[in-house]
Amino acid sequence: MHKPMVLSVLISAGAVAGSPLAYAANSLVFCSEGSPAGFDTAQYTTATDNDAAEPLYNRLAEFERGGTAAVPALATHWEVSEDGLTYTFHLRDGVKFHTTPWFTPTRNFNADDVLFTFNRMIHPDHPFRLAYPTEFPYFSGMSLNKNIASVEKTGPLTVVMTLNAVDAAFIQNLAMSFASIVSAEYAEQLLAIGKPGDINQKPVGTGPYMFQRYQKDSNIRYTAHKGYWNPSQVRLDSLIFSINVDASARMQKLRKNECQISLNPRPADLAGLKADPALQVIEKPGFNLGYITYNVQHKPLDQLPVRLALDMAINKDAILKAVYQGAGQKAVNAMPPTQWSYDDTIKDAPYNPEKAKALLKAAGVKEGTEITLWAMPVQRPYNPNAKLMAQMLQSDWAKIGLKINIVSYEWGEYIKRTKQGEHDISLIGWTGDNGDPDNWLGTLYSCDAIGGNNYSMWCDSTYEALIKKARTLTDREQRTVLYKQAQQLLKQQVPITPIAHSTVSQPLSVKVKGFEVSPFGRNTFSGVSLDD
């Protein structure tokens, strides 16, 4: 829930922040919106981080381009035991890892790489994890660290994963970014030289593009992986992510052909982009949710009446009009209505500032109480203008006697601090990752997701039991019954206030061919080419 290379021509060393990027004729420039925290994708959950890692890696299964089906990738096929607990993966032969200035592989991809990738996330005492301590919020947030009993090889190209309990979304989960396969041989080299952290800053994968260099707040550069196992998908000599936090700057670069694909236009810019004959704009209903999260471990937000008061004092209609400008749908539930199992009987409490004031007074919250509201510094598909939204919430909550202090940080720092629970209230959102309800109800609001994507720090034992039981069932109707109960409980307890589901608009040059807009908000460059 939500990016560049060794070039085929000489590149000027002058590509620094603020200057135009030089690039080869067969180079594609992608105007991205933020700087990734790193490239060890198992550590991260934001689209900014996942996009930057996407060209570098493959997974056992991957989502078809532009779709939601998980299809074979580094595994050519797999079998599932009758009891649903054992998965046998048959690995693709002849897959090559990247050869870079910092690593030269001596063998092809095999079962040892799969074992390293998953055992590092499963076992806290794994040697590499001890040398490079980190957390894996997605993996643990979905309880995979508890549910995967073992990962074993039965041959050089065969891996068997055994689960403790049935996981209806297991293959879908393995197609997500956190499950990208990392080279065990490279990890051993890094341990031997005492630099395990380089796995995050000097990445090595099997993906269609190889990492060249990264300059924070400026650009990331990738070059084509000429030995890629699926050569038809590598159609560019090089790929550049040009990092531009400001939406206006991104659109200006797109119009000048300084980038050929850009992220997250402002709603006000769409008419002009659509009128430009050099551009195309792909629009799709967003599989996303922009929402407000209340840190229930901070006073006075630990009291349900206080959260109810904040919720009913928000003028959502005004926010939809000003922030989304016609490109958003009002949200009342904890996931989008296009997600199967969505409970359409859930309704918002009516907008009622007077009742909200009475609730605060009864809860002992004094007029003038100060609360921090954290606003994202970047534009996201689910929130085109977090600063404006924060200002409107500040005004709404001032009307019920609260003093709201707006706080912001650089995007990576913002995510890190909110995961640690430093905020009182924060603006955040999610674009679905795999099409399963657990990717919303488990990943964002479960007890296991605290410290990961559960920014409200909310943990309810009844809710937890419902979603964990649903995860072990394969019958969709049975799962739907449990998920609807969970949605009702979540709405009653108000750890979040849903605001909007936005329409996703993807502007790009008419020269770009083969780019597919992902329902999961991924930006994938496999199979993408540029017309001369």
Side-chain angles (χ1 to χ4, degrees), residues 89-94 108-111 153-159:
F89 294 92
H90 302 276
L91 307 183
R92 192 174 298 278
D93 194 12
N108 290 340
F109 158 76
N110 65 27
K153 67 175 182 179
T154 56
L157 292 174
T158 309
V159 171

Side-chain angles (χ1 to χ4, degrees), residues 80-87 163 165-167:
V80 186
S81 63
E82 203 168 306
D83 62 6
L85 295 177
T86 302
Y87 289 72
L163 307 183
V166 173
D167 183 346

Side-chain angles (χ1 to χ4, degrees), residues 293-297 423 444-445 450 453-459 495-496:
T293 178
Y294 307 110
N295 186 343
V296 302
Q297 296 182 6
H423 60 291
L444 302 183
Y445 318 117
I450 291 175
N453 297 308
N454 183 347
Y455 301 108
S456 66
M457 310 292 160
W458 177 73
C459 178
I496 69 163

Side-chain angles (χ1 to χ4, degrees), residues 150-477:
S150 63
V151 183
E152 301 171 316
K153 67 175 182 179
T154 56
L157 292 174
T158 309
V159 171
V160 177
M161 293 192 189
T162 304
L163 307 183
N164 290 314
V166 173
D167 183 346
F170 188 61
I171 294 296
Q172 298 287 111
N173 291 339
L174 295 190
M176 292 163 59
S177 294
F178 75 86
S180 296
I181 301 300
V182 182
S183 166
E185 185 183 19
Y186 180 46
E188 290 171 7
Q189 174 183 300
L190 294 178
L191 277 182
I193 63 175
K195 294 184 176 180
D198 279 2
I199 201 169
N200 194 30
Q201 302 302 327
K202 294 181 176 180
V204 170
T206 61
Y209 294 92
M210 302 188 297
F211 179 83
Q212 185 185 22
R213 62 181 180 271
Y214 168 39
Q215 185 174 346
K216 187 176 180 180
D217 299 328
S218 176
N219 64 84
I220 318 169
R221 294 175 175 269
Y222 311 82
T223 187
H225 180 197
K226 299 299 185 184
Y228 190 53
W229 57 270
N230 191 359
S232 67
Q233 297 301 297
V234 186
R235 301 184 179 183
L236 302 166
D237 292 328
S238 56
L239 175 65
I240 302 171
F241 282 28
S242 173
I243 300 167
N244 305 268
V245 174
D246 182 73
S248 297
R250 292 196 299 272
M251 297 312 118
Q252 288 172 9
K253 289 191 173 188
L254 183 65
R255 288 191 176 102
K256 293 177 181 178
N257 197 37
E258 291 178 11
C259 61
Q260 290 74 51
I261 305 177
S262 183
L263 270 184
N264 306 334
R266 298 179 307 174
D269 290 335
L270 286 172
L273 294 170
K274 290 175 182 177
D276 191 327
L279 302 177
Q280 53 182 316
V281 179
I282 304 171
E283 291 187 322
K284 285 192 173 184
F287 191 53
N288 60 40
L289 172 67
Y291 62 99
I292 302 164
T293 178
Y294 307 110
N295 186 343
V296 302
Q297 296 182 6
H298 283 195
K299 293 183 179 300
L301 303 166
D302 57 335
Q303 299 182 65
L304 176 57
V306 173
R307 302 195 299 274
L308 284 167
L310 290 164
D311 180 84
M312 69 176 59
I314 298 167
N315 189 339
K316 281 192 188 180
D317 290 335
I319 289 174
L320 262 288
K321 184 177 181 180
V323 176
Y324 292 86
Q325 299 183 29
Q329 171 190 353
K330 186 190 294 186
V332 299
N333 203 345
M335 58 189 190
T338 49
Q339 173 64 66
W340 65 264
S341 81
Y342 179 89
D343 189 342
D344 57 12
T345 68
I346 288 176
K347 307 298 179 187
D348 270 344
Y351 173 61
N352 193 332
E354 289 307 312
K355 185 176 178 181
K357 285 182 75 171
L359 283 171
L360 291 181
K361 185 176 180 180
V365 178
K366 296 180 180 178
E367 191 160 342
T369 294
E370 295 191 25
I371 294 176
T372 60
L373 169 60
W374 290 32
M376 298 175 296
V378 296
Q379 189 183 17
R380 307 299 304 144
Y382 48 74
N383 190 333
N385 193 336
K387 182 180 178 181
L388 176 58
M389 186 184 292
Q391 291 167 345
M392 296 182 74
L393 291 169
Q394 183 183 49
S395 176
D396 284 343
W397 289 334
K399 294 171 185 173
I400 59 172
L402 297 175
K403 182 179 180 183
I404 303 299
N405 300 312
I406 298 174
V407 174
S408 193
Y409 292 94
E410 178 271 330
W411 183 227
E413 191 71 10
Y414 183 94
I415 292 294
K416 176 183 174 182
R417 287 173 177 263
T418 47
K419 285 181 177 179
Q420 293 170 350
E422 294 182 20
H423 60 291
D424 291 333
I425 304 173
S426 69
L427 299 183
I428 198 66
W430 193 252
T431 297
D433 282 309
N434 65 16
D436 192 89
D438 187 69
N439 186 243
W440 299 90
L441 301 178
T443 300
L444 302 183
Y445 318 117
S446 70
C447 300
D448 287 340
I450 291 175
N453 297 308
N454 183 347
Y455 301 108
S456 66
M457 310 292 160
W458 177 73
C459 178
D460 182 280
S461 58
T462 303
Y463 177 89
E464 199 74 5
L466 288 168
I467 62 169
K468 285 191 171 178
K469 184 177 180 182
R471 195 180 290 153
T472 66
L473 302 175
T474 55
D475 183 273
R476 181 173 286 197
E477 289 187 8

